[in-house]
Amino acid sequence: MNQQASVGNAMMPDTVVSSGVGGMYGEKAGGPVDFSYVGIDAILEQMRRKAMKQGFELNIMVVGQSGLGKSTLMNTLFKSKVSRKSVLATAQEKIPKTVEIKSISHDIEEKGVRMKLTVIDTPGFGDQINNENCWQPIMKFINDQYEAYLQEEININRKKRIPDSRVHCCIYFIPPTGHCLRPLDVEFMRRLSKVVNIVPVIAKADTLTLEERDFFKKKIREELQANGIDVYPQKEFDEDAEDRMINEKIREMIPFAVVGSDQEYQVNGRRLLGRKTKWGTIEVENIAHCEFAYLRDLLIRTHMQNIKDITSSIHYEMYRVRRLNENNTAVAHTNGLPEHHLTAHEM
Amino acid sequence: MASSDVARQPDKGVRPLNLAGHVGFDSLPDQLVNKSIYQGFCFNILCIGETGIGKSTLMDTLFNTNFENFESSHFEPQVKLRAQTYDLQESNVRLRLTVVNTVGFGDQMNKQESYQPVVDYIDRQFESYLQEELKIKRSLHNYHDSRVHACLYFISPSGHSLKSLDLVTMKKLDSKVNIIPVIAKADTISKSELHKFKIKIMSELVSNGVQIYQFPLDDETVAKVNTTMNGHLPFAVVGSTEEVSVGNKMVKARQYPWGVVQVENENHCDFVKLREMLICVNMEDLREQTHTRHYELYRRCKLEEMGFKDTDPECKPVSLQQTYEAKRQEFLLELQRREDEMRQMFVQRVKEKEAELKDAERELQSRFEQLKRLHADEKAQLEEKKRLLDEDQSSFSKRRAAAQLLQAQSLTANGKKDKDRKNSGFM
């Protein structure tokens, strides 16, 4: 039995029905009806419906020393008490002796779009006297999530929708020293930028003046480049020229200098989120004051899908390749077969 | 395609939360849609039907374009499938459409195996997707999905019932692909006959346990439309790309002496319903069903056939990976064994050949020796003869020399007196 597949380019006479609504019945739309309309673009609407029905998932991890305002920033980003501290009403939390990973999930909904948001907290990071290897539990956690997804994916009887617990985005809080990155920051970001999307932010940015802030940011960018650290949005994953343009603008602004707050104050007759001090009120969503709005737009309004895509199609795939190759070499060595023997027989 | 999705029931331990203001993630569906626009869509339709029943014409009419079509002969010895891929675009949506037609279906005298090439084709597409999914370095996002999303089964408008070929084929395909039966060339059936025909077909399908594709009812926005359409199955369609003027418009129609059958007139045929259901309302669902139901079933069967199994998460799970590794080890050992076997056989053969050659060599050697000896013997004989000859020659020359000497002596001794006596003596 033979078959030929020839790719022809039949361009359709692409005219859209006069009314803005995708007229499914030619007779319904008023006026001159265009019978050359097929209805292929109705698939967009079908996709949107399907997405709304299924809902979305997002897993964000926050990493930074205690006291940098991680929980507050999360609450500000999602305009509700999503952080762990707000949920578990423990008055005094002791700084744990090792880095712990604690996650908490919420179901939030906005205009019909449902999302399961998981915030993963890492208390104890960078708080010990000896902070060597404090990224290890975090790295292990991230890899464990990839592992769980992989295990489910290679099952024979697998679930219809594999629950996605992979960390999509890791927000790293840099303390506002104003000088440069500390060795801990460099080490952490260097290691983790290879497995997860890292978005560095300068925490508590209201302690820096604008000049200090710009200097600090420039210094950080230089150090990131010098150490070969690729933070989100990574240069190598830009899809086309338009993408690159948008992302270059973002890359010129990272790390975002943010201020978080979940308290509202009256400013100029409006109620705004801010921090009130004796010398003025810092408006969180005012881009003249801090860059919170840019962070929020990047993370949520424009690049959220892209962040999830990079996690699933690049970071997860890299983990999968490593893992599957690992098995080969392990098995090969136990059997005394040379490694090149096996890589040639990729299934 | 489905990457991060969530179960519809809220998980335990996940609390619902109210937002105090506008966060902005309601743009997520838009982000998703934009990404899909960027990537483009893929849709594959398989048309099964007898030669000349109108498959190509219907495709042309559905997608409003002229695909390259060849008229097939009725003398194909076997059923074949012809797949053609096209890139279509409507507003900003790019669609990669693959139309697969059967060639020679229903033409053979013996139609027992007619369904097999179709089943094989569908399985082959699943197989190549499975292979891609199991690769170590894979690129699922760029993969051109060739799995069949919808199968239009063209029923002959006999007006009576389904043919046994139809039943057999549909039964074989219903667990592999979404089947949408259509009644072809519906302008040959009158309205009342059509109604009875449809009922007969549906009851036959049900009584034979054929699971055709049901338009989904779980989404409220389209449930009503889908329920109505489910009641109109199978769609009676007429295809035509020719335009006829009716009133003051040009419409796609078929012109007969007794009237004009308008393709897009719902009173004349169900073409518009088919187009709406297939493309405008349920294309995404067709793709999803193919991926989550038919493909998963294929994958499960294939992997179980290859000997993999899951155990429940209580005991140590025998993961796919481990079984795969075990299989690979087995395979490699087998490979090694075969290699050794072949090597041994080779060595064996070499030895044999060597022995043979040695024998031949020895034989040659002995013959050579023999010849040499013969040669030497002959040579010796000849030497002997030569020696004898030489002896003879030398004795002869001695005698001649002696005789000559004698002659010379007698000549000088006797002088004139003996001249006469010598002359008479020697003559």
Side-chain angles (χ1 to χ4, degrees), chain A residues 187-212:
Chain A
E187 198 54 39
F188 179 87
M189 283 201 275
R190 197 168 59 85
R191 283 166 189 273
L192 260 76
S193 60
K194 300 196 172 78
V195 293
V196 74
N197 297 319
I198 295 198
V199 177
V201 296
I202 301 175
K204 298 202 163 170
D206 49 339
T207 58
L208 297 170
T209 65
L210 288 183
E211 294 84 21
E212 285 169 354

mmCIF file of all heavy atoms in Angstrom, chain A residues 187-212:
data_model
loop_
_atom_site.group_PDB
_atom_site.id
_atom_site.type_symbol
_atom_site.label_atom_id
_atom_site.label_comp_id
_atom_site.label_asym_id
_atom_site.label_seq_id
_atom_site.Cartn_x
_atom_site.Cartn_y
_atom_site.Cartn_z
ATOM 1 N N GLU A 187 26.104 32.395 43.200
ATOM 2 C CA GLU A 187 26.132 30.933 43.193
ATOM 3 C C GLU A 187 24.748 30.360 42.963
ATOM 4 O O GLU A 187 24.542 29.490 42.115
ATOM 5 C CB GLU A 187 26.700 30.460 44.531
ATOM 6 C CG GLU A 187 27.195 29.051 44.542
ATOM 7 C CD GLU A 187 28.206 28.784 43.458
ATOM 8 O OE1 GLU A 187 29.046 29.650 43.198
ATOM 9 O OE2 GLU A 187 28.128 27.708 42.848
ATOM 10 N N PHE A 188 23.786 30.879 43.690
ATOM 11 C CA PHE A 188 22.422 30.374 43.551
ATOM 12 C C PHE A 188 21.897 30.559 42.136
ATOM 13 O O PHE A 188 21.401 29.628 41.506
ATOM 14 C CB PHE A 188 21.504 31.081 44.552
ATOM 15 C CG PHE A 188 20.070 30.639 44.457
ATOM 16 C CD1 PHE A 188 19.635 29.536 45.162
ATOM 17 C CD2 PHE A 188 19.168 31.304 43.639
ATOM 18 C CE1 PHE A 188 18.322 29.109 45.073
ATOM 19 C CE2 PHE A 188 17.859 30.883 43.542
ATOM 20 C CZ PHE A 188 17.432 29.783 44.266
ATOM 21 N N MET A 189 22.030 31.781 41.651
ATOM 22 C CA MET A 189 21.452 32.063 40.335
ATOM 23 C C MET A 189 22.181 31.305 39.238
ATOM 24 O O MET A 189 21.578 30.846 38.281
ATOM 25 C CB MET A 189 21.471 33.575 40.062
ATOM 26 C CG MET A 189 20.377 34.276 40.817
ATOM 27 S SD MET A 189 19.978 35.863 40.102
ATOM 28 C CE MET A 189 21.210 36.870 40.893
ATOM 29 N N ARG A 190 23.469 31.145 39.409
ATOM 30 C CA ARG A 190 24.217 30.412 38.390
ATOM 31 C C ARG A 190 23.709 28.976 38.287
ATOM 32 O O ARG A 190 23.487 28.463 37.195
ATOM 33 C CB ARG A 190 25.697 30.433 38.749
ATOM 34 C CG ARG A 190 26.611 30.071 37.591
ATOM 35 C CD ARG A 190 28.024 30.413 37.958
ATOM 36 N NE ARG A 190 28.441 29.699 39.155
ATOM 37 C CZ ARG A 190 28.930 28.470 39.146
ATOM 38 N NH1 ARG A 190 29.064 27.840 38.008
ATOM 39 N NH2 ARG A 190 29.276 27.894 40.267
ATOM 40 N N ARG A 191 23.515 28.362 39.444
ATOM 41 C CA ARG A 191 23.096 26.972 39.390
ATOM 42 C C ARG A 191 21.659 26.814 38.957
ATOM 43 O O ARG A 191 21.312 25.939 38.183
ATOM 44 C CB ARG A 191 23.265 26.322 40.766
ATOM 45 C CG ARG A 191 24.685 25.984 41.047
ATOM 46 C CD ARG A 191 24.877 25.668 42.527
ATOM 47 N NE ARG A 191 26.287 25.561 42.812
ATOM 48 C CZ ARG A 191 26.978 24.436 42.667
ATOM 49 N NH1 ARG A 191 26.374 23.357 42.260
ATOM 50 N NH2 ARG A 191 28.261 24.414 42.941
ATOM 51 N N LEU A 192 20.796 27.670 39.496
ATOM 52 C CA LEU A 192 19.392 27.431 39.234
ATOM 53 C C LEU A 192 18.895 27.974 37.918
ATOM 54 O O LEU A 192 17.855 27.547 37.444
ATOM 55 C CB LEU A 192 18.529 27.960 40.387
ATOM 56 C CG LEU A 192 18.145 26.788 41.281
ATOM 57 C CD1 LEU A 192 19.312 26.388 42.140
ATOM 58 C CD2 LEU A 192 16.954 27.100 42.120
ATOM 59 N N SER A 193 19.634 28.912 37.314
ATOM 60 C CA SER A 193 19.133 29.408 36.034
ATOM 61 C C SER A 193 19.164 28.322 34.979
ATOM 62 O O SER A 193 18.553 28.453 33.936
ATOM 63 C CB SER A 193 19.948 30.612 35.580
ATOM 64 O OG SER A 193 21.286 30.235 35.431
ATOM 65 N N LYS A 194 19.887 27.235 35.267
ATOM 66 C CA LYS A 194 19.933 26.143 34.300
ATOM 67 C C LYS A 194 18.714 25.244 34.393
ATOM 68 O O LYS A 194 18.444 24.476 33.472
ATOM 69 C CB LYS A 194 21.182 25.300 34.526
ATOM 70 C CG LYS A 194 22.463 26.075 34.382
ATOM 71 C CD LYS A 194 23.658 25.152 34.228
ATOM 72 C CE LYS A 194 24.910 25.916 33.893
ATOM 73 N NZ LYS A 194 25.516 26.584 35.043
ATOM 74 N N VAL A 195 17.999 25.275 35.496
ATOM 75 C CA VAL A 195 16.858 24.359 35.609
ATOM 76 C C VAL A 195 15.516 25.065 35.719
ATOM 77 O O VAL A 195 14.477 24.419 35.597
ATOM 78 C CB VAL A 195 17.004 23.408 36.821
ATOM 79 C CG1 VAL A 195 18.151 22.474 36.610
ATOM 80 C CG2 VAL A 195 17.140 24.163 38.107
ATOM 81 N N VAL A 196 15.506 26.341 35.975
ATOM 82 C CA VAL A 196 14.219 27.006 36.177
ATOM 83 C C VAL A 196 14.336 28.448 35.696
ATOM 84 O O VAL A 196 15.445 28.979 35.570
ATOM 85 C CB VAL A 196 13.817 26.929 37.676
ATOM 86 C CG1 VAL A 196 14.647 27.881 38.508
ATOM 87 C CG2 VAL A 196 12.343 27.189 37.886
ATOM 88 N N ASN A 197 13.217 29.062 35.395
ATOM 89 C CA ASN A 197 13.247 30.476 35.000
ATOM 90 C C ASN A 197 13.440 31.327 36.242
ATOM 91 O O ASN A 197 12.642 31.280 37.169
ATOM 92 C CB ASN A 197 11.909 30.881 34.363
ATOM 93 C CG ASN A 197 11.634 30.119 33.092
ATOM 94 O OD1 ASN A 197 12.525 29.919 32.294
ATOM 95 N ND2 ASN A 197 10.403 29.686 32.926
ATOM 96 N N ILE A 198 14.498 32.100 36.276
ATOM 97 C CA ILE A 198 14.744 32.950 37.453
ATOM 98 C C ILE A 198 14.417 34.397 37.108
ATOM 99 O O ILE A 198 14.840 34.897 36.062
ATOM 100 C CB ILE A 198 16.214 32.864 37.887
ATOM 101 C CG1 ILE A 198 16.516 31.464 38.366
ATOM 102 C CG2 ILE A 198 16.481 33.856 38.994
ATOM 103 C CD1 ILE A 198 17.755 31.385 39.195
ATOM 104 N N VAL A 199 13.647 35.036 37.969
ATOM 105 C CA VAL A 199 13.378 36.456 37.805
ATOM 106 C C VAL A 199 13.963 37.149 39.031
ATOM 107 O O VAL A 199 13.409 37.064 40.127
ATOM 108 C CB VAL A 199 11.856 36.729 37.730
ATOM 109 C CG1 VAL A 199 11.594 38.210 37.631
ATOM 110 C CG2 VAL A 199 11.254 36.016 36.542
ATOM 111 N N PRO A 200 15.094 37.837 38.884
ATOM 112 C CA PRO A 200 15.657 38.495 40.069
ATOM 113 C C PRO A 200 14.973 39.834 40.307
ATOM 114 O O PRO A 200 14.642 40.546 39.351
ATOM 115 C CB PRO A 200 17.131 38.697 39.669
ATOM 116 C CG PRO A 200 17.125 38.743 38.188
ATOM 117 C CD PRO A 200 15.911 38.029 37.684
ATOM 118 N N VAL A 201 14.737 40.131 41.578
ATOM 119 C CA VAL A 201 14.175 41.435 41.908
ATOM 120 C C VAL A 201 14.991 42.028 43.054
ATOM 121 O O VAL A 201 15.565 41.304 43.870
ATOM 122 C CB VAL A 201 12.687 41.360 42.335
ATOM 123 C CG1 VAL A 201 11.829 40.887 41.200
ATOM 124 C CG2 VAL A 201 12.505 40.491 43.540
ATOM 125 N N ILE A 202 15.032 43.340 43.080
ATOM 126 C CA ILE A 202 15.682 44.026 44.199
ATOM 127 C C ILE A 202 14.592 44.296 45.225
ATOM 128 O O ILE A 202 13.611 45.001 44.938
ATOM 129 C CB ILE A 202 16.323 45.346 43.736
ATOM 130 C CG1 ILE A 202 17.346 45.066 42.641
ATOM 131 C CG2 ILE A 202 16.965 46.046 44.911
ATOM 132 C CD1 ILE A 202 17.937 46.313 42.060
ATOM 133 N N ALA A 203 14.752 43.693 46.374
ATOM 134 C CA ALA A 203 13.704 43.815 47.390
ATOM 135 C C ALA A 203 13.832 45.127 48.136
ATOM 136 O O ALA A 203 14.902 45.719 48.193
ATOM 137 C CB ALA A 203 13.816 42.645 48.365
ATOM 138 N N LYS A 204 12.741 45.536 48.732
ATOM 139 C CA LYS A 204 12.719 46.738 49.586
ATOM 140 C C LYS A 204 13.426 47.898 48.900
ATOM 141 O O LYS A 204 14.316 48.532 49.458
ATOM 142 C CB LYS A 204 13.359 46.444 50.933
ATOM 143 C CG LYS A 204 12.593 45.355 51.678
ATOM 144 C CD LYS A 204 12.841 45.389 53.163
ATOM 145 C CE LYS A 204 11.755 44.588 53.867
ATOM 146 N NZ LYS A 204 11.985 44.359 55.253
ATOM 147 N N ALA A 205 13.041 48.145 47.671
ATOM 148 C CA ALA A 205 13.757 49.132 46.874
ATOM 149 C C ALA A 205 13.541 50.548 47.353
ATOM 150 O O ALA A 205 14.139 51.475 46.807
ATOM 151 C CB ALA A 205 13.339 49.013 45.419
ATOM 152 N N ASP A 206 12.693 50.711 48.350
ATOM 153 C CA ASP A 206 12.491 52.085 48.805
ATOM 154 C C ASP A 206 13.644 52.577 49.657
ATOM 155 O O ASP A 206 13.643 53.710 50.115
ATOM 156 C CB ASP A 206 11.147 52.215 49.559
ATOM 157 C CG ASP A 206 10.969 51.140 50.611
ATOM 158 O OD1 ASP A 206 11.638 50.088 50.515
ATOM 159 O OD2 ASP A 206 10.156 51.332 51.517
ATOM 160 N N THR A 207 14.664 51.723 49.884
ATOM 161 C CA THR A 207 15.838 52.224 50.592
ATOM 162 C C THR A 207 16.887 52.764 49.644
ATOM 163 O O THR A 207 17.927 53.242 50.074
ATOM 164 C CB THR A 207 16.491 51.102 51.425
ATOM 165 O OG1 THR A 207 16.827 50.047 50.526
ATOM 166 C CG2 THR A 207 15.545 50.572 52.475
ATOM 167 N N LEU A 208 16.637 52.683 48.360
ATOM 168 C CA LEU A 208 17.619 53.180 47.387
ATOM 169 C C LEU A 208 17.077 54.415 46.692
ATOM 170 O O LEU A 208 15.911 54.465 46.326
ATOM 171 C CB LEU A 208 17.899 52.122 46.319
ATOM 172 C CG LEU A 208 18.521 50.804 46.755
ATOM 173 C CD1 LEU A 208 18.485 49.813 45.611
ATOM 174 C CD2 LEU A 208 19.949 51.012 47.210
ATOM 175 N N THR A 209 17.934 55.387 46.485
ATOM 176 C CA THR A 209 17.524 56.524 45.656
ATOM 177 C C THR A 209 17.598 56.086 44.202
ATOM 178 O O THR A 209 18.157 55.048 43.882
ATOM 179 C CB THR A 209 18.461 57.730 45.847
ATOM 180 O OG1 THR A 209 19.763 57.359 45.353
ATOM 181 C CG2 THR A 209 18.546 58.129 47.290
ATOM 182 N N LEU A 210 17.056 56.911 43.344
ATOM 183 C CA LEU A 210 17.002 56.514 41.936
ATOM 184 C C LEU A 210 18.390 56.308 41.348
ATOM 185 O O LEU A 210 18.630 55.369 40.588
ATOM 186 C CB LEU A 210 16.228 57.543 41.117
ATOM 187 C CG LEU A 210 14.707 57.552 41.363
ATOM 188 C CD1 LEU A 210 14.033 58.563 40.451
ATOM 189 C CD2 LEU A 210 14.103 56.185 41.147
ATOM 190 N N GLU A 211 19.328 57.163 41.718
ATOM 191 C CA GLU A 211 20.679 57.009 41.159
ATOM 192 C C GLU A 211 21.314 55.738 41.684
ATOM 193 O O GLU A 211 21.932 54.976 40.938
ATOM 194 C CB GLU A 211 21.569 58.196 41.522
ATOM 195 C CG GLU A 211 21.156 59.524 40.915
ATOM 196 C CD GLU A 211 20.079 60.208 41.732
ATOM 197 O OE1 GLU A 211 19.942 59.874 42.941
ATOM 198 O OE2 GLU A 211 19.351 61.033 41.166
ATOM 199 N N GLU A 212 21.155 55.534 43.011
ATOM 200 C CA GLU A 212 21.725 54.320 43.595
ATOM 201 C C GLU A 212 21.113 53.097 42.946
ATOM 202 O O GLU A 212 21.794 52.115 42.649
ATOM 203 C CB GLU A 212 21.437 54.284 45.106
ATOM 204 C CG GLU A 212 22.296 55.217 45.911
ATOM 205 C CD GLU A 212 21.783 55.338 47.340
ATOM 206 O OE1 GLU A 212 20.706 54.778 47.631
ATOM 207 O OE2 GLU A 212 22.459 55.994 48.138
#
